[in-house]
Amino acid sequence: GLMFTLIRDHSPHFAAGFMSRLAKLSARWITNRGFSIGINDVTPSSKLLDLKRQLVQAGYTQADEYIEQFKEGKLQPQSGCTEEQTLESQLLGILSQIREDAGSQCFK
């Protein structure tokens, strides 16, 4: 293709310079055609931040309940697991669910 020809006929340095200039031209062209991405495009909205806070708070509440059950010796171990392993599994499940719920809200 074009890049191979530039490298063969000129030099790798020349081809790299061409690629750089082409990238700048392409970026300017798509910007002039109305495409742009700014910090506002990737910054979460206040609604999303509030939802994240609610999810995290609910997760903390649920995690605290499991920790309290563990401390009181009332946590039912999962089959084949100790109470410590069960607690760890429950807490990891909560964290995973928070991450999944928050991530799915980003696409709405």
Side-chain angles (χ1 to χ4, degrees), residues 64-75:
D64 287 342
E65 290 172 10
Y66 283 123
I67 292 169
E68 193 61 35
Q69 287 176 12
F70 174 78
K71 287 179 180 178
E72 294 172 356
K74 296 179 181 177
L75 186 64

Side-chain angles (χ1 to χ4, degrees), residues 8-57:
R8 184 190 66 207
D9 293 350
H10 299 282
S11 71
H13 182 72
F14 180 85
F18 172 79
M19 286 177 53
S20 177
R21 290 188 301 276
L22 182 60
K24 289 177 185 175
L25 174 69
S26 299
R28 181 161 297 175
W29 185 82
I30 62 174
T31 298
N32 288 341
R33 297 285 183 245
F35 178 86
S36 68
I37 185 166
I39 193 70
N40 290 336
D41 296 324
V42 294
T43 302
S45 66
S46 60
K47 180 180 174 184
L48 184 59
L49 290 173
D50 288 341
L51 179 62
K52 183 192 83 162
R53 278 189 213 97
Q54 291 172 5
L55 289 171
V56 170
Q57 186 57 48

Side-chain angles (χ1 to χ4, degrees), residues 49-105:
L49 290 173
D50 288 341
L51 179 62
K52 183 192 83 162
R53 278 189 213 97
Q54 291 172 5
L55 289 171
V56 170
Q57 186 57 48
Y60 271 121
T61 301
Q62 194 175 9
D64 287 342
E65 290 172 10
Y66 283 123
I67 292 169
E68 193 61 35
Q69 287 176 12
F70 174 78
K71 287 179 180 178
E72 294 172 356
K74 296 179 181 177
L75 186 64
Q76 290 291 330
Q78 296 173 343
S79 61
C81 295
T82 65
E83 287 183 0
E84 292 86 4
Q85 291 169 333
T86 300
L87 177 62
E88 180 181 8
S89 174
Q90 296 292 344
L91 295 179
L92 289 174
I94 293 168
L95 291 173
S96 178
Q97 189 63 48
I98 291 170
R99 184 176 53 250
E100 186 175 319
D101 291 346
S104 68
Q105 292 299 317

